[in-house]
Amino acid sequence: MPQMTDLTTHPIATKYPPKHPERLQLYSTPTPNGVKVSIMLEETGLAYEPHFVAIGDNETWTPEFLALNPNGKIPAIIDPDGPGGKPLALFESGAILIYLAEKTGQLLPADPARRYETLQWVMWQMGGAGPLFGQLGFFHKFKGREIEDPRPKERYRAETERLLEVIETRLEGRDWIMGDEYTIADIALLGWVRTVVGFYEAGPIVGWDALSRTPAWLERGLARPAVQRGLTVPARP
């Protein structure tokens, strides 16, 4: 498609008309991946307009949404004030976290070594904790429960337990993933860990009660007002 010159020229604007086109536009659902971006937006204080995308109604597979994210997944954004003052459309929650951190100068250490250390934990969540936790949810709570072969569920159960232990080890002597500094590494993980022990009700099978630092970290994160707000954005109709 031609280069976007303003938000209203993008097909997504026909399905989700913006009331405030000058603000960053968020297209999402409050899932563990979706809330990464809404929490980040609340933490940074950027003005934004959220649009609820009904994934249960397959809205991510409409031509309008696929024009924004050809992978058909939430979250996605359009920043009308992107690099060089030009609109920027962006998908993939990890990429959006990094973009918003660099745009605002918040929640990503300026020191190069600590910056890359933070990014490695964001990548770890994107490639490990998120996908594996999600598969556990499928086999423990959703249609995967109907599969008689116990091996798939056991694989994801064991991997989830292992990954939670990685977090537990990392938090030794630290309040946050990066120590005293709350960063996008914490934001990337909070919604997923919360979902494993909450919505998925998988705590008893992944050794949650044997952990101490990770539950305390989750409690600290959930106590942040911006996190509480972000967990409900976009509001369901």
Side-chain angles (χ1 to χ4, degrees), residues 10-124:
H10 196 286
I12 199 75
T14 62
K15 187 167 183 63
Y16 307 98
K19 296 180 180 178
H20 304 282
E22 75 283 1
R23 300 179 186 176
L24 186 147
Q25 305 291 306
L26 169 65
Y27 308 91
S28 191
T29 310
T31 66
N33 279 331
V35 298
K36 296 179 203 173
V37 178
S38 52
I39 289 172
M40 182 66 175
L41 288 166
E42 289 293 330
E43 291 279 11
T44 60
L46 278 173
Y48 72 99
E49 181 177 357
H51 302 276
F52 180 82
V53 179
I55 57 178
D57 295 334
N58 293 320
E59 287 190 3
T60 57
W61 302 109
T62 62
E64 295 86 356
F65 192 88
L66 289 172
L68 179 58
N69 181 359
N71 193 39
K73 302 292 183 181
I74 60 91
I77 65 169
I78 294 179
D79 184 0
D81 183 26
K86 298 179 180 179
L88 174 69
L90 202 60
F91 63 88
E92 281 297 325
S93 57
I96 297 170
L97 285 179
I98 296 167
Y99 169 72
L100 294 176
E102 293 182 340
K103 177 182 176 73
T104 61
Q106 299 181 50
L107 301 169
L108 182 62
D111 174 75
R114 285 183 57 79
R115 178 180 184 273
Y116 282 111
E117 188 179 355
T118 304
L119 292 178
Q120 81 176 350
W121 284 101
V122 175
M123 297 302 112
W124 180 83

